[in-house]
């Protein structure tokens, strides 16, 4: 196979073995990030590995006359104009639809459980109190054992299903709401017909829906008004699924006893890293103990990075060899 030219951005942080794999199959051009693109480089590339946070749309694509593949080792591709790429005969390769492979990638479901446990058991505030020199359990009692709580899963797809299976081990009552899934191949899980019903019945609600026009702001004031008093919300899906103002209100009023989120609504905005402390949820969390935030680390284990990067590179290689 002829060596094609591939544009790699350092912010992608590929693992060393995957960088070696890239170098053995491609002439790799490395730039820090797409802000450093220039016309000359773009005019010569066959493949680009597109990082989240930088848009690969008409403007950029039109500067790449030789481009054959835009690849991303992510399940979502909000940073790629797939339709325009398709019109130009460019193949978009991502992890979307790679069902069998993705079944083996479990860290987001695992982190979801880390958040459920941490927020219901007051792990972070109790740790903080120890660091401040206190040794008392009394301020940190969880309202109930998990085995006496009910879990409501919104979105019973790849991650929602894994979360449900782990919930079985905790002996929780498990319900799900997913208008596109009629039955579940998981014993002891009950389907509810509306999000409202899920809100009314759940002690802990966990979100695993994709972000799209239907789900943007799905979790809003109306939803919180239906929630059990003193329930918990966990969001490892996408920040914009939750109305930030409504979440803060629900935490302030005690409608929610706690929330834990791995995703924020503005996190994909350019320059977000520089203004994190100004985000309303981060400001709130700095002053209150009932909101836990992690910086989108759900899928972040070194082996998952390595495997998803490798899978993406191999998909690109397979596509190019079929093309020849
Ligand atoms: P998936 O496509 O396998 O499952 C999504 C499920 O949501 C599907 O079953 C679908 O029918 C359901 N759904 C769609 N619209 C719905 C609605 N309005 N109400 C209820 N259910 C609805 O997706 P997945 O791989 O399980 O990913 C779930 C979410 O997790 C996505 O938002 C994804 O971006 C996010 N994610 C986050 C991380 C992280 O690091 N935090 C990592 C991977 C994925």
């Amino acid at each position: 196979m002829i060596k094609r030219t591939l544009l790699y951005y350092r912010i992608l942080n590929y693992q060393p073995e995957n960088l070696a794999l890239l170098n053995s199959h491609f002439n790799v051009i490395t730039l820090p990030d797409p802000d450093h693109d220039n016309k000359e480089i773009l005019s010569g590339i066959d493949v680009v590995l597109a990082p989240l946070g930088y848009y690969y749309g008409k403007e950029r694509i039109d500067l790449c006359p030789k481009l054959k593949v835009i690849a991303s080792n992510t399940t979502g591709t909000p940073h790629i104009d797939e339709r325009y790429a398709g019109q130009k005969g460019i193949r978009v390769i991502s992890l979307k639809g790679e069902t069998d492979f993705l079944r083996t990638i479990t860290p987001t479901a695992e982190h979801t459980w880390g958040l459920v446990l941490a927020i219901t058991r007051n792990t972070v505030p109790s740790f903080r109190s120890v660091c401040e020199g206190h040794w008392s359990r009394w301020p940190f009692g969880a309202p109930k054992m998990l085995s006496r709580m009910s879990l409501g899963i919104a979105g019973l797809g790849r991650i929602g299903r894994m979360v449900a299976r782990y919930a079985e081990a905790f002996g929780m009552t498990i319900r799900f709401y997913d208008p596109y899934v009629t039955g579940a191949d998981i014993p002891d899980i009950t389907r509810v017909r509306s999000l409202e019903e899920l809100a009314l019945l759940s002690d802990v609600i966990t979100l695993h829906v994709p972000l799209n026009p239907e789900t943007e702001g799905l979790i809003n004031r109306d939803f919180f008004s239906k929630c059990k008093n003193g329930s918990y919300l966990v969001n490892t899906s996408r920040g914009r699924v939750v109305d930030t103002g409504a979440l803060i209100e629900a935490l302030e009023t005690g409608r929610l006893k706690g929330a834990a989120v791995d995703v924020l609504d503005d996190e994909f905005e350019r320059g977000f890293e520089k203004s994190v402390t100004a985000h309303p949820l981060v400001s709130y969390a700095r002053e209150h103990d009932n909101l836990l935030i992690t910086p989108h680390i759900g899928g972040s284990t070194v082996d998952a990075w390595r495997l998803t990067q490798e899978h993406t590179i191999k998909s690109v290689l397979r596509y190019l060899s079929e093309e020849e």
Side-chain angles (χ1 to χ4, degrees):
M1 191 166 109
I2 42 162
K3 264 197 167 186
R4 311 268 192 185
T5 301
L6 177 142
L7 178 54
Y8 168 79
Y9 299 108
R10 222 170 277 128
I11 50 162
L12 286 164
N13 275 309
Y14 268 37
Q15 297 294 293
E17 49 276 71
N18 289 325
L19 290 176
L21 183 63
L22 285 177
N23 280 305
S24 68
H25 289 278
F26 296 98
N27 296 315
V28 179
I29 298 176
T30 302
L31 293 176
D33 60 54
D35 282 342
H36 292 75
D37 282 347
N38 66 51
K39 270 188 183 170
E40 197 191 329
I41 289 177
L42 292 182
S43 68
I45 60 169
D46 300 294
V47 181
V48 63
L49 299 180
L52 281 168
Y54 295 86
Y55 195 57
Y56 260 79
K58 182 177 186 322
E59 208 177 308
R60 225 181 219 112
I61 289 173
D62 282 346
L63 295 173
C64 312
K66 291 178 65 194
L67 195 59
K68 288 173 185 56
V69 179
I70 303 175
S72 176
N73 57 304
T74 53
T75 47
T77 50
H79 55 313
I80 302 170
D81 186 341
E82 292 211 40
R83 190 188 298 183
Y84 190 67
Q87 281 170 18
K88 302 290 276 187
I90 297 166
R91 178 64 168 257
V92 175
I93 290 177
S94 71
L95 298 174
K96 207 186 287 178
E98 297 288 307
T99 321
D100 289 341
F101 170 71
L102 288 173
R103 219 170 267 138
T104 68
I105 303 297
T106 54
T108 306
E110 292 162 3
H111 185 57
T112 300
W113 275 99
L115 293 178
V116 171
L117 291 166
I119 194 68
T120 56
R121 298 305 302 268
N122 295 307
T123 307
V124 174
S126 66
F127 168 65
R128 247 186 241 136
S129 89
V130 171
C131 293
E132 284 161 10
H134 308 293
W135 193 259
S136 171
R137 75 195 62 153
W138 306 115
F140 304 114
K144 281 195 232 173
M145 312 172 203
L146 277 186
S147 57
R148 293 186 182 194
M149 288 199 206
S150 54
L151 179 73
I153 300 173
L156 198 74
R158 178 177 74 91
I159 298 172
R161 279 190 147 72
M162 290 180 199
V163 166
R165 285 204 195 90
Y166 302 159
E168 288 189 305
F170 287 102
M172 296 180 83
T173 304
I174 316 164
R175 298 184 181 88
F176 77 94
Y177 167 68
D178 189 324
Y180 307 105
V181 173
T182 44
D185 48 353
I186 302 166
D188 302 326
I189 179 167
T190 308
R191 180 174 193 263
V192 298
R193 289 211 183 84
S194 67
L195 196 60
E196 182 179 339
E197 206 179 337
L198 197 75
L200 287 168
L201 294 171
S202 306
D203 296 306
V204 179
I205 290 184
T206 181
L207 309 178
H208 303 289
V209 297
L211 176 65
N212 58 36
E214 184 196 336
T215 59
E216 183 159 2
L218 187 70
I219 304 303
N220 51 25
R221 280 190 179 83
D222 187 44
F223 172 87
F224 289 122
S225 73
K226 307 288 171 8
C227 277
K228 275 190 175 189
N229 250 331
S231 51
Y232 295 90
L233 178 79
V234 172
N235 185 16
T236 59
S237 65
R238 292 289 294 279
R240 290 190 193 278
V241 171
V242 179
D243 176 327
T244 293
L247 173 57
I248 292 175
E249 222 173 87
L251 287 165
E252 275 172 340
T253 59
R255 170 66 68 166
L256 284 185
K257 190 160 175 60
V261 302
D262 186 43
V263 285
L264 294 176
D265 50 5
D266 291 344
E267 65 177 305
F268 296 119
E269 300 285 320
R270 294 293 293 280
F272 176 74
E273 319 78 64
K274 296 190 186 96
S275 59
V276 176
T277 48
H279 190 281
L281 285 179
V282 179
S283 305
Y284 179 90
R286 283 151 67 94
E287 304 293 328
H288 300 82
D289 275 344
N290 63 347
L291 175 63
L292 172 55
I293 306 176
T294 51
H296 207 139
I297 60 170
S300 299
T301 64
V302 174
D303 58 347
W305 286 334
R306 181 170 45 72
L307 289 165
T308 53
Q309 293 160 4
E310 183 190 51
H311 189 85
T312 306
I313 297 169
K314 289 187 171 166
S315 300
V316 173
L317 289 170
R318 199 173 320 113
Y319 173 72
L320 290 175
S321 72
E322 284 163 9
E323 278 289 281
E324 275 174 5

